[in-house]
C-alpha cells in the first residue's frame, strides 16, 4: 500500500511537471533578456526627465529561442505593488536600479515597474513577482556594467572604443557576449543599451543566439557618451 501511494505521488509530480513544461512551451518562452540602459545614450532619442550616471534596468523580458520578445497578458495586478512595498530592501534597490528616466513622479515610477510586468514579464509564469523583480536587481548588481567597463579602461567620457572591447569586458563578467544597442547621433554610434541573455529561471547567464548578436545596431566603433550640457 505504501509503495502504491509513493508511486502515485511521484506520478502526480511527473504529470504536473509535464503539464507545466507544455504550458511554457506553448507560449514560446525560452529565456530572458536583461536589458540595461545607458541614460546618456538612451536619452539622445527619447525625451528624458532625468539622467543618472549609471546603467539602469529597462526590463527583464521573456523571449523565444529565436530571440523574439513575447507579449505579456496586459492584466492589471495591483497586488504586485503591495508585495514589493513589504520588502524594504527590494523596494530601495528598485528605486536605485530600475528607474524610469521619463519621470520624477514617484507614483509614475512605481507604475513603470507594474507596466514592465504587464507588457513583458507576464508572458511567462516561471518567475513571478516579487522574485521577478528581485532577480532582475540581483543580476544587474552582479554585472555592475559601469565598473566592469571602467575596469577594462572603457570610460563614459565621450570617447570611442572598439565594439569588441565592450563585448570582451562584459563577457569576462557573464561568460557570454552581450548584444549592444546604439543610437546614431552626431556622426557616431553611441551606446544606448546592453542586452544580456539569462536562463528561464533568471539565475544564470546564457549565450544569446548569433542572430541577436549579429543583428545589433552598433557598428565596429562605439562612443560611450557622457552628460551633455
Amino acid at each position: 500500500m505504501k509503495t502504491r501511494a509513493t508511486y502515485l505521488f511521484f506520478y502526480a509530480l511527473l504529470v504536473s511537471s509535464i503539464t507545466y513544461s507544455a504550458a511554457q512551451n506553448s507560449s514560446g518562452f525560452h529565456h530572458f533578456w536583461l536589458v540595461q540602459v545607458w541614460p546618456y545614450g538612451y536619452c539622445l532619442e527619447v525625451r528624458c526627465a532625468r539622467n543618472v550616471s549609471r546603467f539602469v534596468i529597462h526590463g527583464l523580458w521573456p523571449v523565444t529561442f529565436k530571440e523574439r520578445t513575447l507579449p505579456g497578458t496586459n492584466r492589471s495586478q495591483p497586488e504586485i505593488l503591495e508585495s514589493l512595498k513589504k520588502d524594504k530592501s527590494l523596494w530601495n534597490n528598485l528605486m536605485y536600479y530600475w528607474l524610469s528616466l521619463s519621470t520624477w513622479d514617484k507614483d509614475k515610477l512605481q507604475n513603470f515597474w507594474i507596466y514592465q510586468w504587464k507588457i513583458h514579464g507576464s508572458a511567462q509564469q516561471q518567475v513571478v513577482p516579487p522574485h521577478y523583480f528581485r532577480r532582475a536587481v540581483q543580476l544587474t548588481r552582479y554585472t555592475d556594467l559601469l565598473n566592469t567597463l571602467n575596469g577594462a579602461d572603457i570610460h563614459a567620457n565621450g570617447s570611442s572604443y572598439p565594439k569588441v572591447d565592450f563585448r570582451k569586458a562584459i563577457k569576462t563578467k557573464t561568460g557570454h557576449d552581450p548584444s549592444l544597442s546604439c543610437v546614431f547621433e552626431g556622426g557616431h554610434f553611441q551606446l544606448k543599451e546592453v542586452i544580456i541573455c539569462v536562463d528561464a529561471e533568471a539565475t544564470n547567464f546564457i549565450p544569446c543566439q548569433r542572430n541577436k548578436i549579429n543583428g545589433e545596431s552598433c557598428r565596429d566603433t562605439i562612443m560611450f557618451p557622457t552628460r551633455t550640457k
Side-chain angles (χ1 to χ4, degrees):
M1 190 70 177
K2 184 176 180 181
T3 302
R4 177 177 172 79
T6 302
Y7 168 79
L8 291 174
F9 173 75
F10 284 107
Y11 177 75
L13 284 180
L14 176 63
V15 170
S16 176
S17 176
I18 292 173
T19 302
Y20 179 80
S21 178
Q24 288 294 103
N25 290 337
S26 66
S27 73
F29 170 60
H30 185 266
H31 62 278
F32 290 100
W33 287 348
L34 175 65
V35 186
Q36 298 182 63
V37 165
W38 178 244
Y40 299 130
Y42 182 80
C43 295
L44 289 173
E45 66 175 10
V46 176
R47 187 173 182 178
C48 295
R50 70 164 104 198
N51 269 328
V52 292
S53 300
R54 61 180 181 273
F55 283 89
V56 295
I57 301 170
H58 190 171
L60 184 64
W61 299 347
V63 298
T64 67
F65 175 77
K66 294 185 177 180
E67 308 288 1
R68 297 181 183 276
T69 57
L70 292 165
T73 63
N74 203 29
R75 190 174 75 245
S76 180
Q77 294 178 265
E79 68 275 11
I80 292 176
L81 198 57
E82 292 306 312
S83 72
L84 296 178
K85 288 179 178 179
K86 290 178 181 178
D87 188 331
K88 187 175 181 180
S89 176
L90 175 58
W91 183 268
N92 290 338
N93 280 327
L94 288 171
M95 293 292 289
Y96 185 81
Y97 292 102
W98 203 329
L99 287 176
S100 170
L101 299 174
S102 64
T103 183
W104 282 93
D105 185 275
K106 186 176 180 180
D107 290 335
K108 289 181 179 179
L109 172 58
Q110 297 168 12
N111 288 334
F112 176 62
W113 304 330
I114 305 306
Y115 172 84
Q116 282 293 318
W117 171 254
K118 286 171 55 178
I119 301 300
H120 295 288
S122 60
Q124 55 77 48
Q125 292 299 315
Q126 192 155 330
V127 185
V128 297
H131 307 294
Y132 170 81
F133 295 98
R134 185 178 294 111
R135 292 183 191 177
V137 168
Q138 290 170 342
L139 291 165
T140 299
R141 293 183 67 175
Y142 175 80
T143 56
D144 193 14
L145 286 180
L146 186 58
N147 284 326
T148 294
L149 292 171
N150 288 170
D153 206 25
I154 300 173
H155 302 281
N157 57 11
S159 298
S160 294
Y161 305 88
K163 178 169 67 174
V164 294
D165 289 355
F166 280 91
R167 281 188 180 172
K168 182 179 179 181
I170 297 170
K171 187 175 182 178
T172 61
K173 196 73 173 180
T174 66
H176 305 286
D177 285 328
S179 177
L180 306 173
S181 178
C182 290
V183 55
F184 187 72
E185 180 74 23
H188 300 279
F189 285 92
Q190 305 195 39
L191 186 66
K192 178 179 72 172
E193 287 181 334
V194 175
I195 299 172
I196 298 171
C197 291
V198 183
D199 68 8
E201 289 75 34
T203 55
N204 297 299
F205 302 111
I206 62 172
C208 299
Q209 295 296 316
R210 292 312 304 178
N211 65 298
K212 181 60 181 172
I213 304 297
N214 296 335
E216 62 190 11
S217 59
C218 299
R219 295 299 182 263
D220 291 341
T221 301
I222 300 175
M223 177 182 285
F224 200 177
T226 187
R227 181 191 296 271
T228 56
K229 295 180 179 181

